[in-house]
Amino acid sequence: MKKLVIFGVGLIGGSVALALKKAGIDTHIVGVGRQADSLQSALDLGVIDEASSNVADAVQNADLILIAAPVAQTAAILQSIKPHLSNNTVITDAGSTKGDVLTSASNILGDQLSQFIGGHPIAGAEKSGVTAAMADLYINKNVVITPTAHTATHAIQSAKTLWETCGAKVSEMSAETHDSIFASVSHLPHLLAFALVDDIAARPNAAQLFSFAASGFRDFTRIAGSSPEMWRDISMANKTALLGELNAYEAELNKLKTLLKNDDGTGLQALFERASHARNAWAHGKK
């Protein structure tokens, strides 16, 4: 891979660039973004080798294009690169939803859809921007790629090689399966964290409440410090699956309310024990 173009040189895209540099890969990395100052920071930090505001020049002779911008920008980026794509360029993305991205790629790329493969690195932090990028962000982390029957074999291999070079473990699944899974284990927890903080912040005694919040509150709400723009886009893109998850969670909350109303300590403990066992088993398996 002689030339990599990254649209969105923030935490995700910047960490890919740093990981490749740390691995000693001799790739010319071009950054494209909406904000000139952010691109200049990426240059100053040595994250990218070149910054460009001209899409045609940026993607010329590119071996791989990585779209690491918020998912709502994906369609516009695909439209901007489509007239300048060679038949050898592979396009992938790093968005947290895949069904909407695949639909955009299919509608926009047409007969070049075979060159596109969706991707999602299961890694990140509550901080955003290129200054938060880390060379080791993807080491031993999962990355999901979502090929279809139309995806070229070399595109699948290019995406796998990219993420494996960054230190990640790559899995394949359909876009529909991906969106269903991550609605429950990623997107829903973020919505709950945002909602809890928003609720407390809106109360008349918010300052007093926050002054007594400790590690439990900090751990539960850490992800509410994530990018609001990114999570707005994710939530809207995966709306159908998320509504189903919110309904399921609402049913679980109603179960808790019923147990409390009925002074059912035995039922509460049984629920807590089930949850504790499942959480500890998962945590042990992650070590």
Side-chain angles (χ1 to χ4, degrees):
M1 185 171 62
K2 295 180 179 180
K3 183 177 180 180
L4 168 66
V5 180
I6 301 177
F7 283 80
V9 191
L11 170 67
I12 299 301
S15 294
V16 168
L18 289 177
L20 295 178
K21 290 178 180 292
K22 185 177 181 180
I25 305 301
D26 185 17
T27 300
H28 185 72
I29 302 176
V30 181
V32 184
R34 295 180 297 176
Q35 300 179 353
D37 55 344
S38 295
L39 286 178
Q40 187 59 51
S41 294
L43 276 172
D44 294 342
L45 292 168
V47 176
I48 58 177
D49 303 308
E50 179 187 345
S52 179
S53 59
N54 187 305
V55 173
D57 290 343
V59 304
Q60 186 177 20
N61 299 320
D63 296 294
L64 181 65
I65 295 172
L66 170 64
I67 301 174
V71 289
Q73 298 176 29
T74 302
I77 292 172
L78 289 172
Q79 287 172 338
S80 72
I81 66 176
K82 174 65 168 78
H84 315 293
L85 280 177
S86 77
N87 292 327
N88 298 318
T89 302
V90 173
I91 312 103
T92 189
D93 81 306
S96 296
T97 55
K98 297 273 70 77
D100 60 317
V101 169
L102 181 59
T103 298
S104 293
S106 179
N107 291 338
I108 295 166
L109 296 179
D111 58 4
Q112 288 182 289
L113 179 62
S114 63
Q115 297 169 228
F116 178 85
I117 178 166
H120 177 201
I122 319 305
E126 63 273 18
K127 296 181 181 180
S128 58
V130 69
T131 56
M134 298 174 282
D136 60 352
L137 180 65
Y138 303 112
I139 293 177
N140 294 322
K141 299 295 176 59
N142 289 313
V143 171
V144 176
I145 58 174
T146 56
T148 70
H150 302 288
T151 310
T153 301
H154 80 276
I156 298 173
Q157 189 56 53
S158 292
K160 290 181 69 174
T161 299
L162 172 71
W163 293 114
E164 287 173 350
T165 303
C166 292
K169 299 177 289 185
V170 180
S171 302
E172 296 183 26
M173 64 180 67
S174 69
E176 182 180 19
T177 298
H178 168 279
D179 288 353
S180 175
I181 290 173
F182 287 95
S184 62
V185 299
S186 175
H187 307 166
L188 176 65
H190 278 81
L191 262 65
L192 299 181
F194 281 121
L196 177 59
V197 175
D198 185 56
D199 170 44
I200 292 178
R203 299 185 190 186
N205 62 335
Q208 181 184 38
L209 293 172
F210 281 126
S211 71
F212 284 99
S215 59
F217 181 84
R218 182 186 64 242
D219 292 345
F220 184 82
T221 61
R222 175 185 60 81
I223 52 180
S226 302
S227 166
E229 179 187 12
M230 180 180 75
W231 282 100
R232 175 203 65 193
D233 294 347
I234 291 170
S235 300
M236 297 305 295
N238 207 20
K239 178 179 72 172
T240 301
L242 258 176
L243 286 172
E245 293 299 330
L246 285 168
N247 287 337
Y249 195 79
E250 186 176 21
E252 189 73 7
L253 290 177
N254 285 332
K255 187 189 302 182
L256 282 171
K257 287 171 65 175
T258 299
L259 291 171
L260 284 170
K261 286 178 181 179
N262 295 338
D263 294 319
D264 189 351
T266 301
L268 273 176
Q269 182 171 340
L271 188 153
F272 295 162
E273 286 178 347
R274 290 194 303 272
S276 179
H277 175 76
R279 204 282 177 186
N280 290 334
W282 167 79
H284 179 74
K286 296 293 286 184
K287 292 180 180 179

